[in-house]
Amino acid sequence: MRITNYLSLLAAGSLALASCHKGAPTATNPGKASSTTGIEYNTDEGMKVTDFKKIPTGPGLVYIEGGRTVLGSQEEDVTNNHDNLERTVTIASFFMDEAEVANIHWLEYLHFIRKDSSEEKYKAALPDTTVWARDLSFNDPYVTYYLRYPGFRYFPVVGVNWLQADSYCAWRTAKVNENLAKTGGSSSKGGGLFHRKKKGDTGTGTAAEGGTKTAGALADGKGGASIENGNLLPNYRLPTEAEWEYAAQALVGTQEVGNENQEEKRIYPWDGRSTRNPYGKNQGQFLANFKRGRGDYAGIAGSLNDGAMITEYVYAYPPNDYGLYNMAGNVNEWVQDVYRPLSFQDVEDLNPFRRNGVGDDAKNYDTKGYQSLVNDHVRVYKGGSWRDVAYYLSPGTRRFMAEDSATSTIGFRCAMINAGTNK
């Protein structure tokens, strides 16, 4: 019996070795000639195949390893929306900003828009600072100072609607790729656009000089930056709702090596049922910036709970197991998806995403009769904010708002596909 088992193992090993073609071409080593026609690459007759190693990680991004997960509400649906029931999906690996886009990044955007574009586009890119204004609150200083005062540089930008956030992603794609083309494909050290500063940093924040170009203009196919040459970063974009929720769960931190079962769940982007840190010297401190209760935004002087009356430094509070900061609280974040209450059952189970009303047309909702706010121009936002109670910190909660609306509680971060690999 043992000999039989040994022979079986030996045969299996031989098959495995045979299946691994040692000389098989790869993306980084395609060989000198086509494996199907035999025609040599980079000749007068053959196709141009440039050297390709690996595109650098885009500035500000961290890698999110994909996989299977259960999306949806982990707690009782206290709002009775029933619009995010649990379902199993698979999310491809992708990249996401480690922190929310901050005021200094938006000011850099405005700098280049004013320099390279029209005054009309500059004005269209301005955040709505009046989102801070309240008839019965003295928030006037935030209206004037929040966006531009140096002390708020690394606080999340707010007053930005979905359309503006989407336009920022397109601009950032072009600007980063232009910079990569100038530097020969090497990315700057220290995190690029998101190189860390201390709270209240008074540096100039001046962006590098140079005009913006569209990614299409860079794809010249003549040895410069192009998709075929592999020296263009994919588009920065808003994350899909599924990507955002998956990244916020960060269940990679609960998984045992070699164990295919997902035995742990999380209510928040951290372990446990509490919003306080249960460990170490920071035991008892809050893990996110949120509203503790009616009228309590920060706690009592001398013993503040989360320490933030409004928004907070984008690197405040511990990151989750993917290295992402403030995936709960601080500001809600726009995602790509059009809102539908039944998206959990209508969309695919591989990389689910709702881009429009397919399968659930807007005419099903009585917007003209003011019985519904749902149409193809309302977008999902996630994560909870400084003004929300703990219920909204759970990755499974979802809300929506018109894509041309803005508030003092919604910001965003960018994402990017992981092109050319499943790892």
Side-chain angles (χ1 to χ4, degrees), residues 245-267:
E245 189 171 330
Y246 177 82
Q249 289 176 344
L251 292 175
V252 66
T254 69
Q255 203 64 21
E256 296 181 11
V257 176
N259 185 356
E260 278 285 340
N261 295 319
Q262 201 166 70
E263 298 171 352
E264 303 276 346
K265 287 189 175 182
R266 283 175 166 168
I267 299 172

Side-chain angles (χ1 to χ4, degrees), residues 96 157-166 169 237-241 244 331-337 377-383 399-407 409-415:
M96 180 178 273
V157 66
V158 297
V160 171
N161 64 42
W162 185 94
L163 297 170
Q164 289 175 311
D166 189 57
C169 294
R237 56 175 173 79
L238 294 174
T240 67
E241 180 179 5
W244 194 99
V331 288
N332 291 288
E333 298 177 15
W334 288 115
V335 297
Q336 276 201 58
D337 295 54
H377 299 284
V378 294
R379 303 284 177 167
V380 178
Y381 62 91
K382 308 272 288 181
R399 288 175 285 180
F400 65 93
M401 192 168 69
E403 63 186 22
D404 60 355
S405 297
T407 77
T409 63
I410 301 180
F412 72 102
R413 72 181 75 208
C414 301

Side-chain angles (χ1 to χ4, degrees), residues 102-105 107 129 132 141-156 198-204:
N103 286 323
I104 191 170
H105 307 130
L107 291 173
T129 59
W132 290 106
Y142 303 134
V143 175
T144 305
Y145 293 100
Y146 181 81
L147 174 64
R148 298 182 182 275
Y149 187 71
F152 288 122
R153 278 179 177 158
Y154 279 87
F155 282 52
K198 295 180 180 179
K199 189 189 298 187
D201 188 286
T202 56
T204 62

Side-chain angles (χ1 to χ4, degrees), residues 345-361:
Q345 69 181 28
D346 292 339
V347 294
E348 301 279 355
D349 58 4
L350 172 63
N351 298 323
F353 168 52
R354 185 181 282 286
R355 69 185 78 241
N356 50 38
V358 169
D360 193 2
D361 198 276

